[in-house]
Amino acid sequence: MGRAFVYVILGGGVAAGYAALEFARRGGYSRGELCIISEETVAPYERPALSKGYLLPEGAARLPGFHTCVGANDELLTTKWYKEQGIELVLGTKVISADVRRKTLFTGTGETISYKTLIIATGARALKLQEFGIQGSDALNICYLRNIDDADKLVNVMKSCPGGNAVVIGGGYIGMECAAALVTNKIKVTMVFPEKHCMGRLFTPKIAEYYENYYASKGVTFVKGTVLTSFEKDTTGKVTAVILKDGRHLRADMVVVGIGIRANTSLFEGQLVISMENGGIKVNGQLQTSDSSVYAVGDVAAFPIKLFDGDVRRLEHVDSARRTARHAVASILEPSKTRDIDYLPFFYSRVFTLSWQFYGDNVGQAVHFGDFTSSSPRFGAYWVNKGHIAGAFLEGGSRDEYEAISVAVWRKAKVTNMAELEKQGLAFAIQE
Ligand code: FAD
Ligand code: NDP
């Protein structure tokens, strides 16, 4: 069985949804010329909701409420919308191999799908504990979080142990957001991670200390600088305790694991250039891969960041997925009018009543500012590299304040006096 399309979007996540809307807005295809192939059984949705609204004990977010592109305050693209737009949704279908030279994809259902132009939007997969040599991580009450099925499992496991104990493995984004959600669901949480403090790749020790104290005030216990080595299980296969390298046993009614991701590039290894540094599919400023008919966007793409002097990065954040997707479609449909992408990296998180944003790169010397003591805080940090602002973080800011720090990073605002910058704090960005 074989089908032919002009445009194929491989993957049905955040980037796919935003690419579809961009195709529709630009009217760059005829009915039946564009398809999205996704292993997931639902139309593209806003993945960030899975660790936030989806886990709320009351009034939880559910589909169709958070299909793309509501996260950017744009249209809600339901399956009906795709039908109306003449975009074919090939759902519940995994592509198992690809032949770039013949412009053909092969699905697990035995179908052959060919394209003239391909957009790879396969995102990433959660790293599993097995990959670190830890056996038994497929137990009934061990949860990962990447897609709706994972989120449903997490919700069910939470409901099965009200008032129980959860061990959260990993102190990154998933660990922090899931720990907050578990506490909100009245589950007692212990977080275990190898670093000295949470969010080790982004937060400074001082920023991390604020969040760790806040979490501790909500009853979360931190076990830092160690990793788990094995599990204790009951006769039904459920984990009952987590055993750590330092010998400690932590009682557990459930476990949540967030130990990072790997880009889904395997279909294209040996066919497209893959970045050795970050494991993404290498693209140029038009999001075009080493094969001119193939584009890559979102978590799987390694693209040049002009602001960082063209350094090639693979970003694992939703804003980047949305923007690279739109940009690729513009490049495909109007190549002569589309300049190279000029992207300002943007990360954010919301936990409990806290909310932060970060722009740029956390390189150079960090200069903190604001009030780190309040329970309704407003504090942040600038990263100053070679006399210019390279990155900025702000907790508890207003829309205008976030805008101000983003502009300071975008313009690489000049810093002549570090002590003055510290004294001015947020005012430095606002006055810029
Ligand atoms: P994905 O959204 O992961 O989509 C990839 C798609 O490809 C999936 O549908 C997958 O099934 C499909 N696929 C993969 N391989 C195949 C194949 N062989 N055949 C068919 N289909 C395939 N970022 C933020 O900036 N802020 C947040 O608050 C935030 N929260 C998050 C919360 C969670 C729980 C998670 C998991 C991520 C979060 N992120 C957040 C990150 C953000 O969601 C990702 O950066 C974004 O989803 C990347 O979009 P993507 O389209 O590249 O990949
Ligand atoms: P992260 O990369 O954010 O964090 C992984 C954490 O696990 C790090 O602290 C890492 O430490 C630690 N770790 C690595 N190996 C082990 C191990 N064997 N045992 C214990 N801890 C370990 O990944 P997440 O899994 O938290 O998130 C997955 C993806 O989801 C990311 O792409 C993230 O961007 C995205 N996401 C984003 C959100 C947001 O932007 N608000 C929210 C939720 C998810 P080390 O640094 O030392 O390797």
Side-chain angles (χ1 to χ4, degrees), residues 191-197 222-228 244-246 248:
M191 292 187 71
V192 180
F193 49 83
E195 305 101 322
K196 289 201 183 86
H197 62 75
F222 287 89
V223 179
K224 301 189 261 186
T226 189
V227 290
L228 92 164
L244 305 182
K245 201 173 183 178
D246 64 12
R248 269 184 278 184

Side-chain angles (χ1 to χ4, degrees), residues 136-212:
S137 71
D138 51 354
L140 297 171
N141 55 345
I142 297 185
C143 304
Y144 291 84
L145 187 55
R146 185 70 203 178
N147 56 37
I148 291 263
D149 291 345
D150 297 336
D152 285 337
K153 177 175 173 183
L154 179 51
V155 169
N156 289 335
V157 173
M158 267 196 315
K159 284 188 180 154
S160 74
C161 58
N165 293 295
V167 175
V168 172
I169 307 293
Y173 287 95
I174 291 283
M176 294 301 280
E177 293 191 4
C178 288
L182 288 160
V183 168
T184 309
N185 282 275
K186 300 198 165 34
I187 290 176
K188 297 186 235 19
V189 176
T190 302
M191 292 187 71
V192 180
F193 49 83
E195 305 101 322
K196 289 201 183 86
H197 62 75
C198 68
M199 295 291 291
R201 289 187 206 164
L202 179 63
F203 288 2
T204 64
K206 188 174 166 82
I207 293 175
E209 189 185 8
Y210 178 85
Y211 291 97
E212 288 182 11

Side-chain angles (χ1 to χ4, degrees), residues 120 263 265 268-269 271-292 294-304 310-314:
I120 304 171
T265 57
F268 301 97
E269 274 153 26
Q271 303 192 69
L272 299 174
V273 173
I274 312 276
S275 160
M276 293 292 277
E277 293 79 36
N278 55 43
I281 297 175
K282 222 171 174 172
V283 293
N284 62 19
Q286 303 284 315
L287 287 314
Q288 201 169 28
T289 69
S290 49
D291 181 297
S292 61
V294 182
Y295 293 71
V297 296
D299 280 13
V300 78
F303 68 101
D311 198 19
V312 173
R313 301 278 175 100
R314 190 177 67 75

Side-chain angles (χ1 to χ4, degrees), residues 20-277:
L21 184 58
E22 192 68 27
F23 266 113
R25 292 247 161 97
R26 288 175 180 265
Y29 65 96
S30 302
R31 293 188 81 80
E33 282 187 349
L34 168 62
C35 87
I36 293 177
I37 311 173
S38 178
E39 199 177 350
E40 295 187 82
T41 52
V42 292
Y45 56 88
E46 300 285 359
R47 204 164 299 280
L50 298 183
S51 53
K52 304 176 188 69
Y54 207 85
L55 304 181
L56 289 175
E58 276 160 40
R62 287 293 178 269
L63 290 176
F66 63 99
H67 281 299
T68 55
C69 300
V70 290
N73 295 322
D74 213 321
E75 251 181 282
L76 177 78
L77 313 186
T78 58
T79 39
K80 188 165 158 254
W81 180 89
Y82 290 94
K83 209 171 195 165
E84 284 165 2
Q85 298 298 325
I87 300 172
E88 181 112 10
L89 280 180
V90 185
L91 300 179
T93 302
K94 183 173 182 167
V95 168
I96 52 168
S97 69
D99 186 334
V100 170
R101 207 173 44 82
R102 286 168 51 208
K103 300 189 178 189
T104 307
L105 306 173
F106 304 91
T107 73
T109 49
E111 204 179 353
T112 301
I113 296 179
S114 67
Y115 58 83
K116 284 204 165 77
T117 302
L118 174 68
I119 301 181
I120 304 171
T122 45
R125 63 178 174 83
L127 273 172
K128 297 286 163 75
L129 286 167
Q130 285 97 317
E131 298 172 58
F132 294 87
I134 291 152
Q135 298 310 313
S137 71
D138 51 354
L140 297 171
N141 55 345
I142 297 185
C143 304
Y144 291 84
L145 187 55
R146 185 70 203 178
N147 56 37
I148 291 263
D149 291 345
D150 297 336
D152 285 337
K153 177 175 173 183
L154 179 51
V155 169
N156 289 335
V157 173
M158 267 196 315
K159 284 188 180 154
S160 74
C161 58
N165 293 295
V167 175
V168 172
I169 307 293
Y173 287 95
I174 291 283
M176 294 301 280
E177 293 191 4
C178 288
L182 288 160
V183 168
T184 309
N185 282 275
K186 300 198 165 34
I187 290 176
K188 297 186 235 19
V189 176
T190 302
M191 292 187 71
V192 180
F193 49 83
E195 305 101 322
K196 289 201 183 86
H197 62 75
C198 68
M199 295 291 291
R201 289 187 206 164
L202 179 63
F203 288 2
T204 64
K206 188 174 166 82
I207 293 175
E209 189 185 8
Y210 178 85
Y211 291 97
E212 288 182 11
N213 287 339
Y214 189 97
Y215 274 55
S217 76
K218 300 279 181 188
V220 175
T221 306
F222 287 89
V223 179
K224 301 189 261 186
T226 189
V227 290
L228 92 164
T229 52
S230 58
F231 295 110
E232 251 169 39
K233 290 186 185 173
D234 67 13
T235 48
T236 69
K238 273 191 174 176
V239 169
T240 52
V242 169
I243 301 165
L244 305 182
K245 201 173 183 178
D246 64 12
R248 269 184 278 184
H249 285 221
L250 303 174
R251 250 191 67 199
D253 299 299
M254 64 180 290
V255 177
V256 178
V257 184
I259 56 171
I261 60 173
R262 285 286 178 274
N264 287 323
T265 57
S266 60
L267 291 171
F268 301 97
E269 274 153 26
Q271 303 192 69
L272 299 174
V273 173
I274 312 276
S275 160
M276 293 292 277
E277 293 79 36

Side-chain angles (χ1 to χ4, degrees), residues 298-301 303 305 313-317 320 343 345-347:
D299 280 13
V300 78
F303 68 101
I305 312 264
R313 301 278 175 100
R314 190 177 67 75
L315 301 176
E316 300 174 352
H317 293 271
S320 152
Y343 182 65
F346 164 50
F347 316 149

Side-chain angles (χ1 to χ4, degrees), residues 204 365-369 380-384 415 418-419 421-423:
T204 64
Q365 191 184 335
V367 176
H368 298 93
F369 60 82
Y382 298 110
W383 280 259
V384 181
V415 178
M418 298 291 266
L421 176 68
E422 191 172 4
K423 212 166 90 193

